[in-house]
Amino acid sequence: MTPVIESLFDEADSRYLKPPALKEVTTYVASLNERVSAYRLMRDRELKIMQTVADHLTASLPDESIARVEQTLKMAILILRHSSMAMLMEDANYLEERFLPYLRETREIHATESVDALLYPALRNQLNQLFNDRQLALLTPYLDQAQRVLISNVVDVDESLLTMSGMF
């Protein structure tokens, strides 16, 4: 649950909710059914999603080592699981506190940029086919947080190469 809503429950001893806070709780509760539905769908279809993404990555990168593709797929599974949990709780801080630091470290250690660059489009393609627009709207902000981490090193490398070549 969002930290703001969680903090509202801590104030129950001292007062009733004011209209803006009550509206926020109402919005949270109104979207809960859709978030639970999206979470269940992700949980139940994870294997199918990932198999299709794996097939796409191996077909698109036939010369890439299997170890790098496997590492990217392991990260993709964790991205889906943690993004789904953050979406269920409606808490963007969840990813930053619990998962994104690990994702950053893992990317640096395994150097999977070439595979990571193809991961997100393939993953989004599968999710677009599986989820309805409302569910995608709920899930996308959390997936985008992880994607920014995935592509950050690729952008940094490209910029450093341009700087070193004297183009900037």
Side-chain angles (χ1 to χ4, degrees):
M1 132 176 14
T2 71
V4 172
I5 291 176
E6 191 173 328
S7 71
L8 294 175
F9 293 126
D10 293 337
E11 299 173 15
D13 288 343
S14 61
R15 64 182 173 87
Y16 285 100
L17 297 177
K18 294 180 180 177
L22 190 55
K23 182 177 180 181
E24 188 168 346
V25 170
T26 302
T27 302
Y28 175 79
V29 171
S31 68
L32 185 57
N33 190 40
E34 195 71 46
R35 284 184 279 118
V36 169
S37 176
Y39 182 88
R40 282 185 183 136
L41 186 59
M42 183 72 78
R43 180 196 65 197
D44 295 345
R45 301 282 176 90
E46 177 187 75
L47 182 60
K48 182 178 189 272
I49 293 166
M50 292 310 302
Q51 184 60 58
T52 305
V53 169
D55 293 344
H56 174 76
L57 292 178
T58 54
S60 298
L61 299 166
D63 297 331
E64 188 64 65
S65 76
I66 296 298
R68 282 184 166 189
V69 173
E70 286 178 354
Q71 183 60 41
T72 292
L73 292 171
K74 288 176 187 177
M75 282 295 104
I77 290 169
L78 292 175
I79 288 168
L80 289 179
R81 291 176 181 175
H82 284 277
S83 295
S84 295
M85 182 58 72
M87 180 261 319
L88 183 62
M89 296 186 309
E90 200 175 45
D91 185 359
N93 293 327
Y94 173 85
L95 284 179
E96 190 56 53
E97 293 170 2
R98 293 202 168 195
F99 178 64
L100 295 182
Y102 173 75
L103 181 60
R104 286 182 189 101
E105 289 176 22
T106 303
R107 284 216 55 246
E108 290 175 17
I109 292 169
H110 295 285
T112 56
E113 291 88 357
S114 60
V115 185
D116 293 342
L118 295 178
L119 172 66
Y120 193 76
L123 198 54
R124 281 303 301 248
N125 183 44
Q126 289 305 302
L127 297 177
N128 287 341
Q129 293 176 26
L130 186 61
F131 290 95
N132 67 41
D133 291 341
R134 290 184 313 274
Q135 292 167 330
L136 279 173
L138 293 168
L139 186 59
T140 297
Y142 307 104
L143 291 172
D144 287 350
Q145 270 186 281
Q147 183 211 15
R148 284 189 292 276
V149 171
L150 281 179
I151 65 169
S152 65
N153 289 347
V154 173
V155 171
D156 291 345
V157 169
D158 288 345
E159 289 176 356
S160 68
L161 289 173
L162 290 174
T163 303
M164 292 175 69
S165 69
M167 295 183 77
F168 285 98

